[in-house]
Amino acid sequence: MKKIGFLTFGHSGGSSNSPVPTGADAVRQMVDLAVAAEESGFDGAWMRVHHFGNSLSTPFPLMAAMAAKTTTLEVGTGVVDLRYENPLYMAEQAGAVDAISSGRLQLGVSRGSPEPARDGQHQFGYDLEPGNTWANETRERIALFRRAIAGEGIAHPMPGGHHSQDQLLPINPISPGLENRIWWGAATIASGLWTGEVGMNLLSSTLLLEDDGRPFHVLQADQLRQYKAVYAASGHTTGGMTAVTRSAFPITTQMDEIYFGRRERGDSVGILDGSVARSGPTYSGSPEEVAEQFMADEAIGEADYVLFALPNQLGVDYNAHVMTEIAKIARELGWKK
């Protein structure tokens, strides 16, 4: 493992006795989780972004707060749904977060996943032109976003102003190096190949839509290897990194046993958007057993960044304990050595 981090939905709600009773609690606790992650030695704190649900939805101010409370921890998203974003406004926000963090932003984006709202994008003011698709629209948006964060001129200056009429105006702030830390969330081998072709990093989805009977980690490792080959041939210098997400819970306390001691260890297979989808197992057991599961996972071996899904709804203290135990195992397997 080269880098490890956590990834969480930031779920909230339920009874008043819940450790995370409201969305505001989830936001505040996300900052606390970031601090705990840095204390455990983790490299990154990443959040899922979903709208119209009991989960985190406003990544940029939250990542700025997380960065301000830490010094080495990378802050990231997995992923921002581009169907809900103005690419230029997002570029300005991303540049500001990267400046506040001194270059620690790892920004994952994609077309987005199924959601609770039937007309969410419309209510945000975004509608498709006739004949267009969200797959095409979001790829156009990320192309504009990437040009903007690279410092390319975007807007025409006002006549008679201080700027040459032959020179387009860039956004501000520009954060050098941010263009190398953009990740595309991909749930198929084809989308992974496109990610390599256009020069972004690959954030492999927690489920893949091309189930062919192979174990999830084998199928995902194949996606990563094919991406790397295409990226190497692309001539780009702004990507090449890969990341995967795993659920893992070393059982070291009675509470661990209660929460995760009886988890099923096999893959899950179902239907999503009309396609057969496969997702990976939850790894649990003694630290030695979890270490063996990590070593047997082909995709973990291929990836540059391994993100561990945290059940934030169990509270900061419990998740800090989980991160500490995962960090111990990762060090035994060569992380940070």
Side-chain angles (χ1 to χ4, degrees):
M1 297 181 191
K2 297 177 182 178
K3 288 185 176 183
I4 65 172
F6 77 77
L7 176 65
T8 185
F9 279 95
H11 283 309
S12 62
S15 73
S16 60
N17 295 324
S18 166
V20 196
T22 69
D25 292 307
V27 168
R28 289 188 288 265
Q29 289 185 26
M30 187 66 186
V31 178
D32 296 334
L33 284 172
V35 172
E38 184 167 83
E39 290 174 350
S40 73
F42 270 40
D43 298 294
W46 297 47
M47 70 188 75
R48 296 186 186 275
V49 181
H50 288 278
H51 301 282
F52 300 105
N54 293 326
S55 57
L56 299 172
S57 61
T58 54
F60 294 103
L62 186 47
M63 287 190 292
M66 293 158 61
K69 287 287 189 177
T70 56
T71 57
T72 62
L73 190 77
E74 296 176 335
V75 294
T77 55
V79 290
V80 172
D81 186 337
L82 289 175
R83 294 174 296 178
Y84 285 88
E85 297 293 330
N86 177 303
L88 296 182
Y89 184 59
M90 187 175 77
E92 290 181 338
Q93 292 186 93
V97 171
D98 206 43
I100 290 168
S101 67
S102 298
R104 289 183 280 140
L105 176 60
Q106 301 283 352
L107 186 64
V109 297
S110 83
R111 188 201 68 88
S113 59
E115 56 181 344
R118 175 177 56 83
D119 59 348
Q121 297 88 38
H122 171 74
Q123 297 302 332
F124 267 57
Y126 299 117
D127 290 294
L128 289 172
E129 294 293 332
N132 200 3
T133 65
W134 281 118
N136 180 66
E137 174 66 21
T138 52
R139 290 186 179 192
E140 291 179 356
R141 290 183 187 182
I142 192 58
L144 176 56
F145 169 85
R146 294 177 70 200
R147 295 199 304 272
I149 63 170
E152 182 176 317
I154 299 295
H156 295 85
M158 286 291 292
H162 299 293
H163 301 281
S164 167
Q165 296 301 296
D166 297 326
Q167 186 174 2
L168 296 177
L169 305 178
I171 65 160
N172 186 58
I174 299 297
S175 187
L178 177 57
E179 60 187 312
N180 302 320
R181 287 176 274 113
I182 307 303
W183 302 71
W184 186 264
T188 64
I189 288 178
S191 56
L193 296 178
W194 174 82
T195 304
E197 290 170 357
V198 299
M200 287 185 286
N201 300 301
L202 174 64
L203 178 57
S204 184
S205 176
T206 53
L207 54 83
L208 295 175
L209 302 178
E210 294 166 323
D211 178 44
D212 58 8
R214 289 180 293 172
F216 176 79
H217 73 99
V218 175
L219 178 61
Q220 190 174 50
D222 189 17
Q223 182 200 42
L224 302 189
R225 284 190 289 265
Q226 291 195 47
Y227 159 82
K228 289 179 181 179
V230 168
Y231 177 79
S234 72
H236 289 291
T237 60
T238 52
M241 303 289 286
T242 59
V244 299
T245 302
R246 291 293 182 269
S247 295
F249 301 98
I251 307 299
T252 63
T253 69
Q254 184 177 6
M255 190 64 71
D256 297 332
E257 180 66 34
I258 292 172
Y259 283 141
F260 302 107
R262 299 182 182 276
R263 286 296 180 101
E264 294 291 333
R265 296 194 177 186
D267 291 352
S268 297
V269 180
I271 302 296
L272 182 67
D273 283 350
S275 299
V276 179
R278 178 178 288 266
S279 59
T282 293
Y283 293 151
S284 65
S286 69
E288 294 76 19
E289 289 173 323
V290 172
E292 290 175 0
Q293 291 164 346
F294 288 172
M295 289 187 290
D297 189 308
E298 288 189 21
I300 286 180
E302 286 285 342
D304 299 294
Y305 221 129
V306 181
L307 303 172
F308 292 97
L310 289 188
N312 76 289
Q313 62 269 38
L314 296 181
V316 174
D317 290 343
Y318 183 75
N319 281 288
H321 155 71
V322 171
M323 287 188 282
T324 297
E325 295 302 321
I326 289 175
K328 290 178 182 177
I329 295 172
R331 287 190 175 92
E332 290 295 321
L333 297 180
W335 171 61
K336 290 195 171 181
K337 287 184 180 180

